[in-house]
Amino acid sequence: MTTSTEKSFFDLHITGLGYLNRIREVKPKKGDAFLACDIAALNGPSDDVAYVRFDTRVSGSEAQHLVRRCIQAVDAEKKVMIGFRLGDLWTDTFTYSKGKRAGEQGVSLKARLLFVSWIKVDGKLVYKAEPKPTDADDRDERDVRATDVPATSAEPQAAASEPARPAAEAADEATADAPALEVAESF
């Protein structure tokens, strides 16, 4: 009998859309430097929008690449809106040191920016992530393919459970990522 020593985790993710602000490289006294940004996420009814501010650490090479590509647009004060997924939400308390709230306690929502699904600069879509197939999609595809195989087939059963994909279909999947990368590189 074998026992697994792998830990399992429960993920809590926040998805939404919001405006990208304050993209910066943070260099702490201890530890490695990291990319950070603020997201003013839209919340509430569309005719009376409220904003929830998240101070995020950008995680993952793809998300870092996309956020870095937005630095010039944010610095030029263009409206950069993103679709996002955040994880590891936590709060940080602080004391205001300036302004009319000087001396008061404040709370900052912090999270890790895990995924950027799309980016719009001044209302123009400049990046859209390609959808990734889910496990359910894979099962549905296998079920459809299995029903397409005639019951009187002379092929072995193992071959019917994993049919070969047509060359055109494989080529389509190989080029499916190309438009998203070209669009991401264009801004």
Side-chain angles (χ1 to χ4, degrees):
M1 176 181 219
T2 60
T3 59
S4 175
T5 58
E6 289 185 35
K7 289 186 178 183
S8 61
F9 296 89
F10 297 100
D11 293 331
L12 175 61
H13 291 161
I14 300 164
T15 58
L17 59 112
Y19 292 101
L20 198 57
N21 298 298
R22 277 187 12 140
I23 301 171
R24 64 211 181 272
E25 191 76 26
V26 177
K27 296 175 181 152
K29 292 179 183 177
K30 295 181 182 179
D32 297 329
F34 61 90
L35 183 65
C37 66
D38 287 356
I39 298 174
L42 281 70
N43 185 36
S46 60
D47 60 347
D48 188 23
V49 175
Y51 296 92
V52 176
R53 186 182 154 280
F54 293 99
D55 185 8
T56 67
R57 178 180 184 148
V58 184
S59 298
S61 60
E62 185 177 349
Q64 288 179 10
H65 172 74
L66 292 169
V67 170
R68 285 184 203 284
R69 303 276 307 169
C70 296
I71 290 173
Q72 288 181 335
V74 170
D75 288 348
E77 296 185 9
K78 294 183 178 181
K79 294 184 183 232
V80 180
M81 182 175 263
I82 65 170
F84 62 83
R85 183 181 323 129
L86 304 177
D88 299 334
L89 180 67
W90 60 286
T91 60
D92 187 27
T93 58
F94 63 93
T95 304
Y96 287 97
S97 59
K98 303 183 217 175
K100 63 182 178 182
R101 297 186 69 187
E104 291 182 28
Q105 288 287 318
V107 177
S108 176
L109 293 174
K110 304 215 177 227
R112 289 189 315 129
L113 176 59
L114 303 172
F115 179 71
V116 176
S117 55
W118 52 266
I119 301 171
K120 287 184 178 181
V121 177
D122 286 338
K124 181 182 176 193
L125 185 68
V126 294
Y127 170 78
K128 183 168 173 36
E130 291 296 320
K132 295 181 180 175
T134 63
D135 291 340
D137 292 340
D138 292 343
R139 278 193 302 273
D140 292 345
E141 193 173 302
R142 280 194 299 265
D143 291 344
V144 168
R145 287 180 182 164
T147 58
D148 290 344
V149 177
T152 59
S153 174
E155 297 177 13
Q157 187 64 18
S161 65
E162 292 185 308
R165 295 186 319 190
E169 183 180 317
D172 289 345
E173 285 184 11
T175 59
D177 293 336
L181 293 175
E182 289 173 16
V183 171
E185 297 299 324
S186 67
F187 72 96

